Amino acid sequence: MKGVLLLCALLLAPRGSGSDPEAAWPTHMACRNGDLQVFYQSCDPLQDFGFSIDQCSKQVKPNLNIRFGIILREDISHLFLDVTLLSKGVTILNYSYPICEEDLPKFSFCGRRKGEQIYYAGPINNSEFDIPQGKYEILLELYNEHRSIVACANATVLCS
Amino acid sequence: MAPDVGCFLLALLIPAICKLISSSDQVCIEKEVNKTYNCDNLGLSRIPDTLSNKTEILEFSFNFLPAIQNTTFNRLPNLTFLDITRCQINWIHEDAFQSQIQLRTLVLTGNPLVFIAETAFNGPVSLKHLFLIQTGITSLEFIPGHNLKNLESLYLGSNHISSIKLPENFPTKNLKVLDFENNAIHFLHKEDMKPLKQASNLSLNFNCNDIKSVEPEAFTSMTFQRVNFGGTVDLSGIFNGLRKSTIQSLWLGSYEDTDDAELNSTTFQGLCEMSVKSINLQKHHFHDPTAATFQCFTQLLELDLTATHLHQLPSAIKGMQSLKKLVLSVNKFEDLCHISAASFPSLTHLYIKGNTKKLQLGVECLKTLGNLEHLDLSHNDLEAADCCQVQFRGLLHLENLNLSYNEPLQLQSQAFKDCPKLRFLDLAFTHLKLREQQSPFQKLYHLQVLNLSHCLLDTRNQNLLVELPDLRHLNLQGNLFYDGTIPQTNLLQTLSRLESLVLASCGLHSIDPQAFRSLGDLSVVDLSYNNLTHDSLEALGHLKGIYLNLATNVIRTIPYHLITILSQQTTINLSHNPLDCTCSNNAFLTWYQANLQKLEGSEETVCATPPSLRGVKLSAVKLHCGLTVMGICFLVVLLGLFVILLIFAIKFLLRWKYQHI
């Protein structure tokens, strides 16, 4: 019985290094529309998550709506997002953004606890911008005040 | 469920593989010997044998326990804390926690519970905290309450609960926290509130419930510690429902993803008839507030208006004379004077951080706040020439000032002259511009904590830190020292009471042996992220019992005479240094292994040389630096030969001498 469960655990939660192709989560599509495609892959060894963007366009509109589904493995009364944007292997942009803080919980899901399943469909409060042609790699990391990973994604943006 | 079935089939087909995997058993992490274990994410279906019978705290989330019976945990009678979050629990059978008499906290979050037996909680008589978040509960009858007499907090968030009415026999006398966050409660009736009248100082959470109406006077003559109606749009309905109640802290904020209310004087009418000490209205919309908007705020002690789109506060607000704490962060003020500080003469705490426009400090904008003790103006793009005497004039009782993360400030001499009681001053990540040899902090006789990290200071300025007789904690992280050296005469010499000193990331190559001579009270010294070698240790020779961080420097060897300096300290971090693990450093390596209890970061304290030992932890290195048997033999033979040769030479010399007499 134990063996079965361990096997299950190993199959359901591959936690190997990136060198083993079977250990990685599948690549999903966040959106595709004509000249823009966004793919992502979870880089949290423990689990995958679901994500999609409602409007897929080179001219990014303000206040985009997204959909996001995940199981929390940490409490998120404090939640921070780190974004690294790379083009041709060179870092173009690096920034950190607080999503949930004790004195300013920006979103209604702030304060949810470890073990909760979260589904968020709503705006992300972005500003308007145009995506120049090219291929971009984006590393996104959500983590709490103990620097424990809540979600991690390697995303690819193809803009033609 | 589907993947589980697949697993079972797969496992039946290839039992050999299963055996192989089960032999490489994954183990729980022992966080405290025999007491605390973490078994999260291991896919376990029972309590492993490796756990001590004395276990008190068990983190067991993300495992697999479809049914909990009285045998599941019976080996662990001392449990006080049990976290079985998301273990796919369907059933909690009779007497499931029978032997856990001392259990105080039980976390069942995220389990698809089908049924909890009537006697499930019979054992733990002192169960105080029960988490039933997202367990599919639709009715409060689901929880067998009669054994929960000592329950203090009950978390019921993210379920399908639509009525808060507790069953009649549910004990509420000791209840302090009742959390209904993210349920489907739309109506609060007088009848629902009745069972809660026995509780005292209760905190009630209705965050994200889309409350449509509260029956008038449902909360009449009840007292609460904290009530949260976050995400509710109809605030006037809430205020009306709360008439004649007493609430310490009322949270009514909105979020990016919920609708906000436009706040005006009619919204707050119900507030006049209740007693509230603290209100949070974050992310709602104040449309052109007038003095009338705040006419019912007279009893408030704390008001949080974070991100309420405010450009200014009206100047004629009356009746808020007793307000102690005001939060105006993330608004749109252009000038500090626009907050009309004169309306709040009793204010002791004022927070204006992360203003979305560039904030001007203005002139004497806060001079009426003679009682202000705590002022936070961080993250505001503040920029000022000739700061900060007129800007902070009148703040005679200010003790704590935060100006971190702003644009460059040009500080005057005695810049904080008008805040003589300052005890904490935070200027981190704000570029400070000073004229040569100026003393901006001079005569702050009560200043105890000064954070100057990443302020781009000129550290050659010998007068920077003069006349700070009470300074205990100084952070100079990220300020570069001229030539990478702290010379014998330096800016720290006047700080005789300093207890902690942070000089991390200061580009240091060396520290003069006499540099810290006048700092006799130091108990924390952080020199990490520099380019220091062992030579700099001499500067610490007169210090005893300190916490010393030398991580990420370029220390290779530590000679014998410097080991005594390390010996006299309490805790030392030497991680991420290119340490030498050859016999030439043997004295240090021996000392290191004998004093492991003093060393912090020993997992990251590894050898850099010789190449054969690169990456090996210092604690694991075994060197044989004495002479070997072969070496001793060789030496003895060599010595013998030398003696024989000497005898022959003397003989020959004597013979030669006699022959020539």
Side-chain angles (χ1 to χ4, degrees):
Chain A
M1 190 61 190
K2 197 181 195 176
V4 177
L5 288 161
L6 277 167
L7 181 64
C8 288
L10 285 171
L11 285 172
L12 291 172
R15 53 181 84 209
S17 61
S19 58
D20 181 2
E22 276 184 0
W25 296 108
T27 300
H28 308 286
M29 188 175 308
C31 79
R32 173 152 69 181
N33 187 10
D35 42 16
L36 187 71
Q37 295 177 58
V38 180
F39 302 97
Y40 74 93
Q41 183 186 31
S42 169
C43 40
D44 178 353
L46 288 174
Q47 64 174 9
D48 203 353
F49 68 89
F51 176 74
S52 76
I53 307 169
D54 282 7
Q55 308 96 345
C56 206
S57 157
K58 275 166 75 169
Q59 287 92 36
V60 178
K61 296 195 176 74
N63 261 329
L64 271 185
N65 281 307
I66 60 147
R67 300 195 310 122
F68 181 63
I70 194 169
I71 289 170
L72 295 178
R73 283 173 185 269
E74 303 290 338
D75 289 356
I76 54 163
S77 40
H78 299 83
L79 184 68
F80 307 96
L81 171 69
D82 272 12
V83 179
T84 309
L85 174 65
L86 297 110
S87 173
K88 295 170 188 150
V90 182
T91 307
I92 308 172
L93 183 71
N94 228 333
Y95 81 97
S96 190
Y97 179 80
I99 295 173
C100 304
E101 292 171 286
E102 202 80 69
D103 53 2
L104 179 54
K106 290 198 178 83
F107 292 88
S108 60
F109 54 74
C110 292
R112 298 279 160 83
R113 294 182 187 254
K114 181 180 95 171
E116 281 196 67
Q117 166 196 324
I118 279 195
Y119 172 70
Y120 176 77
I124 53 167
N125 192 22
N126 62 297
S127 48
E128 193 170 357
F129 63 94
D130 286 353
I131 307 174
Q133 219 172 53
K135 182 184 174 187
Y136 306 93
E137 304 286 329
I138 307 174
L139 176 65
L140 298 133
E141 235 177 51
L142 287 172
Y143 55 92
N144 70 1
E145 75 271 31
H146 307 300
R147 224 0 185 131
S148 304
I149 293 293
V150 173
C152 170
N154 279 316
T156 309
V157 177
L158 292 170
C159 184
S160 53
Chain B
M1 272 291 133
D4 289 354
V5 177
C7 284
F8 273 104
L9 289 174
L10 201 64
L12 286 172
L13 286 170
I14 38 170
I17 293 179
C18 281
K19 239 177 210 168
L20 197 77
I21 291 165
S22 65
S23 66
S24 64
D25 211 353
Q26 300 189 59
V27 286
C28 303
I29 300 161
E30 188 173 41
K31 291 165 94 180
E32 225 177 320
V33 180
N34 285 342
K35 197 178 158 193
T36 308
Y37 291 88
N38 183 322
C39 306
D40 289 354
N41 305 305
L42 295 177
L44 302 169
S45 61
R46 60 185 202 89
I47 301 301
D49 300 329
T50 48
L51 254 57
S52 157
N53 288 346
K54 293 179 187 148
T55 305
E56 289 174 30
I57 297 169
L58 179 58
E59 291 163 3
F60 204 77
S61 21
F62 301 96
N63 286 301
F64 184 63
L65 299 170
I68 295 187
Q69 331 198 11
N70 57 4
T71 50
T72 312
F73 298 106
N74 67 346
R75 201 168 65 73
L76 308 174
N78 294 341
L79 277 183
T80 59
F81 176 96
L82 176 61
D83 184 351
I84 33 180
T85 293
R86 220 161 254 279
C87 282
Q88 303 181 42
I89 303 165
N90 292 135
W91 308 97
I92 301 180
H93 291 308
E94 300 80 32
D95 305 316
F97 303 102
Q98 190 184 23
S99 39
Q100 282 69 47
I101 311 287
Q102 297 170 51
L103 193 65
R104 291 166 64 90
T105 307
L106 177 60
V107 188
L108 289 162
T109 303
N111 285 298
L113 298 180
V114 178
F115 190 73
I116 305 177
E118 205 59 31
T119 56
F121 302 131
N122 264 11
V125 283
S126 53
L127 190 65
K128 287 201 158 68
H129 312 287
L130 179 59
F131 292 78
L132 287 165
I133 299 167
Q134 210 169 62
T135 47
I137 296 177
T138 51
S139 156
L140 296 175
E141 307 274 351
F142 186 82
I143 311 158
H146 53 91
N147 276 311
L148 300 171
K149 290 191 181 58
N150 291 302
L151 203 64
E152 284 179 13
S153 36
L154 179 58
Y155 294 88
L156 295 164
S158 303
N159 282 304
H160 311 290
I161 298 165
S162 56
S163 165
I164 69 154
K165 184 147 199 243
L166 286 163
E168 245 168 49
N169 59 354
F170 202 98
T172 53
K173 210 169 146 238
N174 293 312
L175 216 52
K176 295 274 175 272
V177 175
L178 189 52
D179 190 325
F180 289 106
E181 178 162 337
N182 195 32
N183 271 291
I185 300 157
H186 303 310
F187 305 100
L188 290 175
H189 302 288
K190 241 178 172 172
E191 201 62 16
D192 302 341
M193 300 300 296
K194 259 190 187 160
L196 301 177
K197 287 203 165 152
Q198 287 180 37
S200 55
N201 280 329
L202 185 67
S203 291
L204 264 179
N205 188 354
F206 298 116
N207 193 30
C208 296
N209 267 291
D210 193 16
I211 302 278
K212 295 203 190 325
S213 88
V214 182
E215 194 175 336
E217 307 196 349
F219 286 71
T220 294
S221 67
M222 291 179 81
T223 304
F224 295 92
Q225 183 61 36
R226 190 179 149 89
V227 180
N228 185 331
F229 282 106
T232 309
V233 184
D234 179 21
L235 293 189
S236 55
I238 299 285
F239 283 120
N240 284 330
L242 294 179
R243 275 172 208 261
K244 296 179 189 162
S245 66
T246 305
I247 297 172
Q248 195 68 31
S249 165
L250 181 58
W251 209 93
L252 297 168
S254 165
Y255 302 102
E256 295 280 347
D257 54 309
T258 55
D259 293 329
D260 52 10
E262 188 151 302
L263 306 175
N264 50 45
S265 55
T266 52
T267 314
F268 300 109
Q269 266 170 8
L271 185 58
C272 282
E273 288 181 56
M274 60 182 294
S275 165
V276 186
K277 295 280 179 288
S278 162
I279 283 194
N280 187 316
L281 293 165
Q282 76 154 34
K283 283 191 169 287
H284 285 294
H285 224 104
F286 264 110
H287 182 69
D288 201 11
T290 62
T293 316
F294 300 98
Q295 62 187 353
C296 288
F297 284 57
T298 50
Q299 294 181 39
L300 279 187
L301 297 183
E302 298 180 6
L303 177 60
D304 191 326
L305 299 176
T306 298
T308 46
H309 311 267
L310 285 167
H311 292 274
Q312 67 174 83
L313 285 175
S315 55
I317 298 177
K318 287 192 183 73
M320 280 179 84
Q321 267 96 1
S322 47
L323 196 73
K324 297 268 185 218
K325 178 180 164 184
L326 179 60
V327 184
L328 295 170
S329 302
V330 201
N331 280 302
K332 298 174 179 171
F333 298 106
E334 280 175 6
D335 192 302
L336 197 52
C337 283
H338 293 171
I339 71 160
S340 309
S343 307
F344 319 104
S346 305
L347 223 51
T348 57
H349 290 68
L350 177 60
Y351 301 82
I352 308 173
K353 46 180 188 171
N355 197 53
T356 54
K357 287 190 175 165
K358 193 177 176 71
L359 186 68
Q360 300 296 326
L361 278 173
V363 175
E364 299 184 359
C365 295
L366 306 175
K367 71 170 176 195
T368 51
L369 302 181
N371 296 310
L372 200 67
E373 291 167 12
H374 197 120
L375 177 61
D376 190 340
L377 291 170
S378 59
H379 296 272
N380 282 335
D381 288 344
L382 292 176
E383 197 169 355
D386 278 331
C387 200
C388 303
Q389 287 182 11
V390 290
Q391 288 87 345
F392 297 135
R393 185 149 290 159
L395 300 178
L396 293 171
H397 285 93
L398 197 67
E399 290 182 7
N400 195 327
L401 177 60
N402 189 347
L403 291 169
S404 62
Y405 296 92
N406 279 303
E407 294 294 308
L409 296 180
Q410 173 102 44
L411 295 185
Q412 305 158 305
S413 265
Q414 297 191 42
F416 303 97
K417 192 182 171 191
D418 277 37
C419 316
K421 293 207 170 156
L422 266 188
R423 290 205 291 150
F424 307 89
L425 180 57
D426 190 348
L427 289 156
F429 290 90
T430 297
H431 179 186
L432 299 182
K433 291 183 173 172
L434 301 172
R435 291 193 191 88
E436 237 172 84
Q437 302 298 317
Q438 253 180 346
S439 323
F441 313 114
Q442 197 177 8
K443 293 186 180 164
L444 289 175
Y445 294 116
H446 302 286
L447 196 69
Q448 290 188 2
V449 182
L450 179 57
N451 188 348
L452 295 172
S453 59
H454 301 275
C455 287
L456 305 176
L457 293 168
D458 178 7
T459 49
R460 281 175 296 179
N461 180 355
Q462 302 287 328
N463 297 332
L464 186 69
L465 302 168
V466 293
E467 286 189 73
L468 291 170
D470 211 18
L471 194 68
R472 316 282 173 94
H473 307 276
L474 175 63
N475 189 339
L476 286 171
Q477 178 164 348
N479 291 291
L480 296 181
F481 277 76
Y482 183 68
D483 279 347
T485 308
I486 303 182
Q488 190 176 346
T489 40
N490 59 63
L491 75 172
L492 303 169
Q493 270 163 340
T494 51
L495 307 171
S496 56
R497 297 194 69 177
L498 208 61
E499 288 168 16
S500 80
L501 174 62
V502 181
L503 289 167
S505 309
C506 288
L508 294 172
H509 289 277
S510 69
I511 300 171
D512 186 275
Q514 301 296 320
F516 300 150
R517 189 45 70 176
S518 56
L519 310 176
D521 287 352
L522 279 179
S523 59
V524 173
V525 179
D526 185 352
L527 294 166
S528 58
Y529 294 92
N530 283 300
N531 297 307
L532 297 171
T533 61
H534 62 76
D535 293 330
S536 305
L537 283 175
E538 290 195 47
L540 308 165
H542 63 295
L543 298 170
K544 287 189 175 64
I546 66 166
Y547 166 81
L548 175 60
N549 191 349
L550 288 163
T552 321
N553 276 288
V554 291
I555 299 168
R556 290 172 196 283
T557 56
I558 297 182
Y560 192 75
H561 69 282
L562 294 176
I563 291 172
T564 48
I565 294 175
L566 293 186
S567 285
Q568 64 204 31
Q569 315 310 347
T570 313
T571 309
I572 302 146
N573 190 333
L574 284 161
S575 61
H576 302 284
N577 275 291
L579 291 162
D580 180 49
C581 294
T582 60
C583 284
S584 60
N585 202 18
N586 193 36
F588 166 66
L589 292 171
T590 312
W591 175 85
Y592 185 94
Q593 292 176 352
N595 290 279
L596 280 176
Q597 78 285 353
K598 281 188 174 190
L599 290 146
E600 186 190 69
S602 56
E603 291 292 312
E604 287 86 37
T605 312
V606 297
C607 307
T609 50
S612 60
L613 287 174
R614 181 169 296 154
V616 175
K617 276 188 275 177
L618 244 65
S619 52
V621 170
K622 285 196 171 58
L623 287 186
H624 299 285
C625 296
L627 286 172
T628 58
V629 181
M630 274 292 281
I632 292 167
C633 284
F634 185 73
L635 264 183
V636 169
V637 172
L638 205 71
L639 205 70
L641 280 174
F642 181 73
V643 171
I644 293 165
L645 208 72
L646 202 72
I647 293 167
F648 272 106
I650 293 167
K651 249 186 182 171
F652 178 78
L653 260 173
L654 285 174
R655 196 176 292 163
W656 187 81
K657 220 175 172 185
Y658 280 120
Q659 278 175 356
H660 288 84
I661 287 178

